[in-house]
Amino acid sequence: MNNTLQNGFKVLEYLAQSGNSCSVKEIAEHLQLPNSHACRLLKTLQATGYVEQIAGSRQYQISLQILCLSNARLKNLRLRQVGQMILRQLCQKLQLECVLSAWSQTKSIIIATEYPDNNLLYDSNLVIGNTHQTVISACGKVCAAFASPTDLEQALAKVNWLDGSQLACHDEKSFRQELDIIRQNGFARMLNENTPDVASAAAPIRDANGNLAGAVGVVLPRGEQNWTPLMWDNCSRGVMEAAAAISQVLGFIPSI
């Protein structure tokens, strides 16, 4: 592997995730590299246009040119082209927040969102590109359940089972048992595991070869008092029908 190229991507990821400008010293400490190496990486990325130096300072930030890459990828992504209209129909039917995710490199990555007409809280454009956590999100769970054995093991290898920030408090054995139930039911649920008073449901999308392509998810109304059996039934059935419709357009033919 080309270490220079790898470190260059790590710089971009760090600048993007921090949301702030950083100095050469900060980048060097994060990558555990000499300052001179970090400086050369930043200067190279600056020359390509993906990093910019703030005028009058020694601080660097990721440039907006990175959006051109993501926009071009999204525009030509067939799963998004096929799924967005079906996702919008699901949102209109349930009047709830709905998401479409793609399964990529053992991650469930949001590629489209739909909100009810009265939504005033969220900017859907800022949600795209976020990833679902494997253990404590409905889309993450359902993708883990229907991923290939190799992808599943790679995804679980990245989970910090002792992370106290995870409200689910899963251990690996109980989570694998939950995945078996998800495969039997055809959908996954999340209850209070990511954020208190938040629940969601998700179902898997298949491609023409029967492989996992992504997931359709819906966020239930906030507060456990709203999670009635009828609400759960409507949401679970809704994501399964939407996922099946997208899978069919992608060319998936379910076995009889």
Side-chain angles (χ1 to χ4, degrees):
M1 181 179 292
N2 187 312
N3 288 335
T4 300
L5 181 61
Q6 183 182 36
N7 286 333
F9 280 112
K10 287 182 178 180
V11 170
L12 291 176
E13 290 172 352
Y14 182 70
L15 289 173
Q17 291 169 2
S18 70
N20 299 310
S21 59
C22 298
S23 66
V24 171
K25 182 180 179 181
E26 290 176 86
I27 295 294
E29 290 177 349
H30 175 70
L31 297 181
Q32 298 182 334
L33 293 173
N35 284 0
S36 58
H37 288 198
C39 184
R40 284 198 294 272
L41 287 170
L42 286 165
K43 291 298 184 183
T44 300
L45 290 168
Q46 184 181 10
T48 64
Y50 289 102
V51 164
E52 55 192 17
Q53 185 174 5
I54 298 177
S57 77
R58 296 183 178 181
Q59 299 283 311
Y60 293 83
Q61 64 184 9
I62 194 168
S63 78
L64 295 180
Q65 185 167 310
I66 200 74
L67 295 178
C68 298
L69 290 178
S70 62
N71 183 62
R73 182 72 176 98
L74 281 173
K75 186 168 61 175
N76 295 292
L77 188 60
R78 177 157 170 74
L79 176 58
R80 190 171 191 267
Q81 294 171 340
V82 168
Q84 197 154 27
M85 179 59 70
I86 296 173
L87 191 73
R88 186 171 299 124
Q89 293 171 349
L90 178 64
C91 177
Q92 292 172 348
K93 177 181 178 180
L94 297 178
Q95 285 298 295
L96 295 171
E97 173 189 348
C98 298
V99 298
L100 176 67
S101 77
W103 180 245
S104 176
Q105 299 181 2
T106 69
K107 295 179 181 177
S108 170
I109 303 176
I110 299 175
I111 59 173
T113 61
E114 290 291 336
Y115 294 92
D117 294 336
N118 61 354
N119 168 64
L120 299 174
L121 298 177
Y122 304 105
D123 183 344
S124 60
N125 293 318
L126 297 181
V127 177
I128 294 174
N130 287 343
T131 60
H132 294 113
Q133 295 188 61
T134 303
V135 179
I136 56 176
S137 71
C139 284
K141 288 180 181 184
V142 84
C143 284
F146 290 92
S148 69
T150 299
D151 281 355
L152 172 60
E153 295 308 318
Q154 290 180 359
L156 295 186
K158 299 174 184 177
V159 175
N160 181 1
W161 300 100
L162 301 178
D163 184 359
S165 66
Q166 294 188 352
L167 301 180
C169 297
H170 282 290
D171 60 73
E172 185 172 357
K173 181 179 179 181
S174 65
F175 184 67
R176 287 182 182 273
Q177 291 172 343
E178 183 178 359
L179 294 182
D180 289 335
I181 296 173
I182 291 170
R183 295 185 191 102
Q184 293 172 14
N185 294 336
F187 64 90
R189 291 180 176 179
M190 182 277 290
L191 298 85
N192 292 323
E193 297 167 57
N194 196 327
T195 306
D197 287 330
V198 172
S200 59
I205 299 169
R206 303 280 196 173
D207 64 18
N209 297 317
N211 299 319
L212 176 69
V216 174
V218 60
V219 180
L220 277 68
R222 197 177 186 103
E224 290 192 40
Q225 69 277 7
N226 296 309
W227 306 342
T228 63
L230 179 59
M231 175 63 71
W232 273 119
D233 183 61
N234 288 339
C235 290
S236 300
R237 183 157 25 89
V239 293
M240 291 178 70
E241 291 174 351
I246 297 172
S247 300
Q248 183 177 18
V249 178
L250 292 176
F252 174 62
I253 301 175
S255 58
I256 300 176

